[in-house]
Amino acid sequence: MAGAAVANAEDITAGFKVNWMNLRDGGTGKVLWQSTDDLSKPGVEHVARVPKRILKCKTVSREINFSSVQEIKHLRVEQRVILNDAIIEEWHFEFGFVIPRSENTWQSLIEAAPAQDMLPSNVLSGNVVIETQFFNANRLVNMSQVRVFYV
């Protein structure tokens, strides 16, 4: 092929990094949790210690700052909340085109379940894993898992 070669999934994975992430009360904008750990690092179960008051928020804003060495034509994310090996929630997010050698910030607003449907923090803490899969269209680029402790 003449010209620039198309990056394969391994090249995209090698050049993809989550620089930081935060969770905010969607109503007030107050940061409740943040991390500068590379939560995209595969093969590691990451740990997040999140204030339990986040479970009282009507909406939660999730902000992810990431960088990519390679172009990503259609970045999308599938996120699953797993409680004791059972998927209890699943979300799908579309970002779109990612410019090569760029740093991007992506904010999503997540609406909480009604209060009567929320599980208490003592049931969730340490038993919840958030599995995040990053895709370029339908090709898996990266998967990470974060075990959540509510403190």
Side-chain angles (χ1 to χ4, degrees):
M1 169 195 268
V6 175
N8 63 35
E10 293 79 22
D11 291 338
I12 292 172
T13 298
F16 185 85
K17 180 182 180 197
V18 172
N19 301 311
W20 55 265
M21 180 177 162
N22 69 40
L23 299 173
R24 299 174 186 260
D25 178 322
T28 66
K30 181 178 180 184
V31 174
L32 300 174
W33 175 85
Q34 59 188 0
S35 175
T36 56
D37 294 342
D38 181 3
L39 299 175
S40 64
K41 198 176 290 183
V44 176
E45 185 178 86
H46 305 277
V47 172
R49 298 189 189 290
V50 177
K52 57 185 159 192
R53 69 180 179 269
I54 200 167
L55 297 172
K56 303 262 188 237
C57 296
K58 292 183 180 181
T59 57
V60 173
S61 169
R62 181 198 58 205
E63 200 170 10
I64 299 174
N65 178 274
F66 65 93
S67 51
S68 180
V69 173
Q70 302 292 333
E71 173 184 298
I72 301 175
K73 292 196 181 292
H74 185 155
L75 178 65
R76 62 184 190 82
V77 170
E78 292 181 9
Q79 204 162 46
R80 293 177 183 86
V81 179
I82 302 166
L83 175 63
N84 296 325
D85 298 322
I87 297 171
I88 61 170
E89 287 189 82
E90 190 167 0
W91 301 301
H92 299 263
F93 303 96
E94 303 281 330
F95 183 84
F97 183 77
V98 177
I99 299 168
R101 295 171 300 287
S102 66
E103 184 175 320
N104 304 273
T105 301
W106 181 6
Q107 188 173 31
S108 301
L109 194 62
I110 301 163
E111 191 171 326
Q116 69 270 16
D117 295 340
M118 293 294 286
L119 294 170
S121 62
N122 64 324
V123 171
L124 298 171
S125 189
N127 297 314
V128 167
V129 173
I130 299 178
E131 178 185 271
T132 305
Q133 296 178 314
F134 295 88
F135 290 88
N136 182 14
N138 291 321
R139 177 172 262 168
L140 182 66
V141 169
N142 187 288
M143 185 185 82
S144 73
Q145 294 183 320
V146 178
R147 185 168 299 274
V148 180
F149 292 87
Y150 292 96
V151 294

